[in-house]
Amino acid sequence: MTTDRIMVTGGAGYIGSHVVRQLGEAGHEVIVLDNLSTGFRDAVLHGQLIEGDSGDLPHVEMLLKEHRIDAVMHFAAHIVVPESVSDPLKYYRNNTGNTRNLLEACTRAGVRRVIFSSTAAVYGVPANKECAENSPLEPINPYGRSKLMSEWMLQDLAAASELRYGILRYFNVAGADPGGRIGQSTPLATHLIKVACEAATGRRDHIDVFGTDYATPDGTCIRDYIHVDDLARAHLLALERLRNGGDSFIANCGYGHGYSVREVLDMVQQVSGTTLDIRAAPRRAGDPPALIAKAERIRALLGWKPQHNNLEFIVATALAWERQRHAQ
Ligand code: UDP
């Protein structure tokens, strides 16, 4: 098996740590670069953790050279949409500015493969519920714009150099390591499945449903929830594609079908055996009624086959993680 020396920025975070685990299991050498602002030291199950900022150009350049890094996976970012609206410069600094510096460090160190965490937020409010990779890119908040600008930088740099990239646009990532070793620990989480599992384990007294009057079958928003381990596997396949000389690409990461907020909450109640205090609340600003990935490209390009395309399993692993954290 061919292995690589990989730098993973944000590898102590939720998605990054799941990728690091799989990279380690596949025998790759992993250097995690994380400033631990939202990540956790004990989430890094493989490789070496180096505390630092992905935007610290001299430091990153030195690390890339010293560890003779073959490829960079760039997860480090801020991801809270409402915060990006109230503090946009934080997002343009941490997401866009840091990506710029990281790419310059890659250029100086001769790193020619970059895998970048992007988001369905680059599509904004789609005209129809399904987004293909060539759908209009009209992000409606600074978070989405900060990510789209990073995509553009990668494309411009690839056009001007030998660098090749894989851009993965995540839909709604949820669930946890089926082995129970890592999961989502972010404090003040806002994501539906995480929040619902917190409610099911008594950490919240109720859960709000943001909008019950959408033009969807049950009036609540529909999203394409993808298990974090399936998403992580897509990153390893992306790495393999670039290693084998494959062209740069952009691919949606989702299952291609969705669930409503009510369906998700029903599943959380069923799996947890609890009755949640579910309250109808006003719509949340900027929520598209439905957001589902056109998900053919990732299968065709990478040979990706989801293993956990099952809402019950997603919820069960998220809940198991939440219970374990609660018990600690
Ligand atoms: N949502 C909700 N209550 C919550 C959190 C989320 O009703 O406490 C809804 C939200 O309005 C959206 C869907 O759940 O329709 C998914 O939201 P989430 O924040 O998980 O992800 P997003 O799609 O915004 O990235």
Side-chain angles (χ1 to χ4, degrees):
M1 183 184 67
T2 319
T3 57
D4 285 308
R5 286 177 296 269
I6 299 160
M7 174 181 281
V8 182
T9 76
Y14 171 47
I15 299 170
S17 64
H18 285 79
V19 173
V20 166
R21 203 204 81 225
Q22 290 192 13
L23 288 170
E25 286 167 0
H28 296 290
E29 234 176 273
V30 179
I31 301 292
V32 170
L33 178 65
D34 199 301
N35 63 14
L36 299 180
S37 62
T38 54
F40 297 87
R41 188 178 294 280
D42 58 9
V44 179
L45 300 183
H46 289 280
Q48 185 184 348
L49 170 64
I50 294 170
E51 265 188 80
D53 223 285
S54 57
D56 182 345
L57 211 168
H59 187 216
V60 178
E61 180 184 350
M62 186 272 287
L63 291 173
L64 293 174
K65 288 178 174 164
E66 184 181 306
H67 294 277
R68 294 178 294 121
I69 295 294
D70 299 303
V72 168
M73 293 185 165
H74 182 34
F75 295 90
H78 287 312
I79 57 159
V80 182
V81 170
E83 185 189 45
S84 81
V85 175
S86 59
D87 192 357
L89 294 184
K90 179 173 178 181
Y91 279 70
Y92 291 122
R93 181 184 66 237
N94 281 301
N95 295 358
T96 316
N98 283 359
T99 301
R100 185 230 161 265
N101 284 4
L102 176 68
L103 292 179
E104 182 161 355
C106 288
T107 303
R108 290 188 193 174
V111 174
R112 293 182 176 159
R113 287 182 267 151
V114 175
I115 293 170
F116 177 64
S117 305
S118 192
T119 166
V122 298
Y123 297 115
V125 181
N128 61 27
K129 59 185 183 170
E130 281 199 339
C131 299
E133 289 81 356
N134 60 359
S135 293
L137 299 172
E138 294 169 341
I140 55 165
N141 51 56
Y143 167 65
R145 290 189 197 108
S146 72
K147 286 285 187 177
L148 182 54
M149 288 162 76
S150 300
E151 288 194 8
W152 286 336
M153 280 192 283
L154 268 168
Q155 291 172 305
D156 289 341
L157 182 59
S161 72
E162 304 270 287
L163 182 135
R164 283 171 298 129
Y165 61 81
I167 291 173
L168 297 175
R169 292 184 182 148
Y170 310 162
F171 281 67
N172 288 63
V173 188
D177 168 29
R181 292 155 290 188
I182 43 178
Q184 190 171 11
S185 305
T186 332
L188 307 176
T190 57
H191 290 135
L192 179 65
I193 291 181
K194 172 77 180 167
V195 170
C197 289
E198 288 179 355
T201 52
R203 291 188 156 190
R204 295 180 188 248
D205 62 0
H206 76 281
I207 178 153
D208 289 319
V209 177
F210 299 135
T212 53
D213 58 351
Y214 285 98
T216 58
D218 68 13
T220 67
C221 290
I222 295 172
R223 294 288 181 277
D224 187 339
Y225 295 92
I226 174 173
H227 192 281
V228 64
D229 246 19
D230 275 339
L231 178 68
R233 206 161 298 107
H235 290 74
L236 272 79
L237 294 169
L239 184 72
E240 200 176 302
R241 172 186 166 85
L242 296 184
R243 186 202 308 120
N244 293 338
D247 291 337
S248 296
F249 69 94
I250 299 177
N252 284 341
C253 294
Y255 292 141
H257 62 87
Y259 294 97
S260 72
V261 173
R262 284 209 191 283
E263 286 172 326
V264 169
L265 295 181
D266 283 348
M267 184 60 82
V268 172
Q269 296 190 106
Q270 182 193 312
V271 173
S272 65
T274 58
T275 304
L276 301 176
D277 177 359
I278 298 170
R279 301 183 190 169
R283 290 182 178 197
R284 197 172 65 174
D287 270 347
L291 195 58
I292 293 170
K294 286 278 283 174
E296 286 82 20
R297 186 184 284 181
I298 187 169
R299 293 167 196 257
L301 276 185
L302 303 183
W304 178 74
K305 287 193 193 75
Q307 293 177 10
H308 307 305
N309 183 353
N310 176 317
L311 183 64
E312 185 174 352
F313 186 79
I314 293 175
V315 167
T317 55
L319 192 66
W321 175 251
E322 209 56 50
R323 284 190 168 139
Q324 192 175 313
R325 274 164 46 80
H326 214 20
Q328 277 165 8

